[in-house]
Amino acid sequence: MRNFVNEFKRKNKILIQNFSSLTILQISQYVFPLITFPYLVRVLGPDGYGLVAFATAFVAYFTIITDYGFSLSATRDISINRNNSKRVSEIFNSVFSVKLILLVLSVIIIIPIVFVFDKFYSNADVYLVASLSILGTTLFPVWFFQGIEKMKFITVISVSVKILWVILVFVLVRSKDDVIVLVALNAGSHILTGVISLLLIKLKFGIVFSFPKSIKIKEQFIEGWHYFLSSASISLYTTSTIFILGLFAGDAIVGFYSAADKIRYAVQNISSAAGTTIFPHLSKEFRRSKVAAFAFLDKYYKIVGGFMLAVSILLFIFAKEIILLVLGVNYLSSVLVLKIISFLPLIIFFSNVAGVQTMLNLGYKKEFAKFILIAGVFSIVVSLILVPIYFEIGTAITVVLTEIIVTTQMILFLRKKKINVLTFDR
């Protein structure tokens, strides 16, 4: 066993480094908010914290638009062409230009929504300031660093900014009237991270910023379409669940669900970090040798899958203790929610292995997008039935059922292609 571990470390040094960096990065994105959560929920009150959660869900739609699936398509393109600096620069500029165009489009959509609908206009300042975070995520080229497999850079930047964010939250957010301060800090942290990252790309990697030819922009729109459709469809049963819950329930109910879901996300992102890390590596492996790629996936599935199974079981058994420890006695209503969604980390891991790592790398983009879209529509329909009656419990049940449908569709599709995801036999 020791020889196997040493051999794996030797052959996969870059993967291990990137996994470690990405794990720290993704954990920080949920651990730091969890550090401030017990404080914020008391200072802002249920209504104030619920408003922030609802505004975040609203803004997330436009983050998906500006991302346009580039976290997968651009990562894959840069990974494949990483040894061609001219091509990498061309991809970067064309992708970045598309993101800026989509940012402008998002602003054009957001402004009338905020000022026309009473739900948003009553807190227009909160929604407009929260929307500034879209600029930050647009400027933050995670896809570039993932593609060149240099995740340590953005990890250092992101974690440093998050530490500053935590300090400022405790210093500046002092009462329920400081909701606008919190959303400003959230947006500011995204913008600062993006600006520093772009400076690093220019100074460290020599990328020359320029506006590409229209044909290159068109190519990126076409290349990213199916990935974007998948991402947008995924939002139907991730972002939309909280958004729909907020339309039918009070902000406090949104807080109960969001709190439990934050814990689930923190656990799930262990495997998400691993999946994001190996995706560019597998893109190269599938082009080089499908046999080697499937052999790698088999080991990955057994090691990480076994770990996620154990974690999900523990999350279910100790849901109450975890809620009391992390959130406090005022969030006992979150216990049942956490129990219901406790196995999502395992289910979503299977979905990632079958869909992102296997289907996308084998070129089944259309089928992947179709399965996600079907699940997204299912989620909306079931949410509109269950959420008005069962509120946060209905939301939790909807999310679990939707993820099961997504994963099952992908596994059955691959079996028809003579690929057994459980063993990776062909």
Side-chain angles (χ1 to χ4, degrees):
M1 180 65 181
R2 181 178 297 176
N3 291 334
F4 169 77
V5 172
N6 291 334
E7 182 68 11
F8 181 84
K9 288 181 177 179
R10 184 183 67 81
K11 290 183 177 180
N12 299 277
K13 183 178 180 180
I14 293 177
L15 273 179
I16 294 173
Q17 290 176 346
N18 285 316
F19 172 71
S20 300
S21 297
L22 199 57
T23 298
I24 294 172
L25 174 62
Q26 297 210 1
I27 289 177
S28 72
Q29 291 175 342
Y30 295 97
V31 168
F32 287 140
L34 283 175
I35 291 174
T36 59
F37 181 80
Y39 172 77
L40 289 174
V41 77
R42 289 165 174 80
V43 170
L44 299 179
D47 292 338
Y49 191 83
L51 174 60
V52 173
F54 186 75
T56 302
F58 170 68
V59 168
Y61 285 113
F62 300 96
T63 300
I64 292 167
I65 291 175
T66 55
D67 178 71
Y68 198 70
F70 289 135
S71 58
L72 293 174
S73 64
T75 296
R76 183 173 182 273
D77 285 349
I78 288 179
S79 175
I80 293 172
N81 296 280
R82 73 177 67 183
N83 295 322
N84 185 339
S85 58
K86 182 179 179 181
R87 177 59 180 152
V88 168
S89 182
E90 184 180 80
I91 294 171
F92 177 87
N93 282 302
S94 57
V95 169
F96 196 70
S97 297
V98 171
K99 289 173 72 68
L100 290 177
I101 292 171
L102 293 173
L103 173 63
V104 173
L105 177 63
S106 297
V107 172
I108 293 173
I109 297 173
I110 288 171
I111 291 176
I113 289 177
V114 170
F115 287 103
V116 170
F117 296 97
D118 291 339
K119 173 72 176 179
F120 298 95
Y121 185 68
S122 58
N123 292 288
D125 55 344
V126 173
Y127 293 106
L128 291 176
V129 173
S131 297
L132 291 175
S133 63
I134 304 169
L135 171 61
T137 54
T138 300
L139 297 177
F140 189 27
V142 179
W143 41 274
F144 173 83
F145 292 100
Q146 289 175 347
I148 62 174
E149 295 190 76
K150 298 289 185 182
M151 295 302 297
K152 63 180 180 180
F153 293 105
I154 61 171
T155 298
V156 172
I157 295 170
S158 297
V159 172
S160 299
V161 172
K162 277 295 183 183
I163 291 173
L164 176 62
W165 174 82
V166 169
I167 294 172
L168 291 177
V169 164
F170 284 117
V171 172
L172 300 178
V173 182
R174 306 304 296 271
S175 73
K176 62 181 181 180
D177 297 323
D178 291 331
V179 167
I180 191 69
V181 176
L182 178 59
V183 294
L185 289 175
N186 292 342
S189 66
H190 286 298
I191 294 172
L192 180 59
T193 302
V195 170
I196 295 174
S197 299
L198 291 179
L199 289 174
L200 177 64
I201 287 174
K202 181 176 177 60
L203 298 176
K204 176 71 176 179
F205 300 100
I207 298 294
V208 179
F209 300 108
S210 62
F211 199 78
K213 296 179 180 179
S214 58
I215 190 171
K216 295 299 180 182
I217 293 177
K218 182 179 178 181
E219 286 176 0
Q220 288 300 333
F221 268 114
I222 295 173
E223 177 65 24
W225 170 248
H226 290 294
Y227 296 99
F228 166 67
L229 187 60
S230 300
S231 299
S233 300
I234 289 173
S235 75
L236 293 178
Y237 61 89
T238 53
T239 301
S240 290
T241 53
I242 293 179
F243 189 76
I244 292 174
L245 179 60
L247 294 177
F248 290 102
D251 290 331
I253 298 296
V254 175
F256 291 140
Y257 177 82
S258 299
D261 205 40
K262 278 184 181 293
I263 295 173
R264 187 266 299 185
Y265 261 119
V267 172
Q268 180 183 310
N269 270 275
I270 299 172
S271 66
S272 296
T276 304
T277 301
I278 71 169
F279 181 73
H281 173 77
L282 277 172
S283 296
K284 293 184 298 178
E285 284 292 285
F286 271 106
R287 288 170 65 90
R288 184 180 66 84
S289 168
K290 289 184 179 180
V291 174
F294 281 123
F296 180 89
L297 269 176
D298 183 55
K299 294 177 182 177
Y300 169 75
Y301 154 77
K302 291 176 180 176
I303 295 173
V304 181
F307 177 75
M308 295 313 297
L309 173 61
V311 170
S312 292
I313 292 173
L314 292 174
L315 203 59
F316 177 82
I317 294 174
F318 297 105
K320 183 176 181 179
E321 289 77 7
I322 293 170
I323 291 294
L324 290 174
L325 176 65
V326 178
L327 305 176
V329 68
N330 291 331
Y331 282 81
L332 285 174
S333 296
S334 298
V335 173
L336 182 55
V337 174
L338 185 58
K339 281 184 174 290
I340 293 171
I341 64 177
S342 60
F343 280 89
L344 279 179
L346 178 65
I347 298 169
I348 292 173
F349 168 75
F350 286 132
S351 174
N352 180 269
V353 170
V356 175
Q357 309 301 339
T358 307
M359 289 183 64
L360 291 184
N361 277 315
L362 289 175
Y364 298 121
K365 294 186 293 185
K366 292 182 179 180
E367 292 82 358
F368 178 82
K370 183 183 73 172
F371 295 150
I372 297 296
L373 180 59
I374 291 172
V377 173
F378 170 85
S379 175
I380 294 294
V381 173
V382 176
S383 288
L384 293 175
I385 296 172
L386 295 182
V387 173
I389 303 173
Y390 301 107
F391 299 118
E392 74 276 23
I393 303 303
T395 298
I397 293 172
T398 299
V399 173
V400 173
L401 290 177
T402 304
E403 291 293 354
I404 290 174
I405 287 176
V406 171
T407 305
T408 301
Q409 286 183 108
M410 292 175 177
I411 290 176
L412 292 177
F413 172 80
L414 290 173
R415 285 179 68 89
K416 290 181 180 179
K417 299 296 179 180
K418 309 300 182 183
I419 301 171
N420 189 339
V421 176
L422 300 181
T423 61
F424 285 101
D425 292 333
R426 290 208 70 190

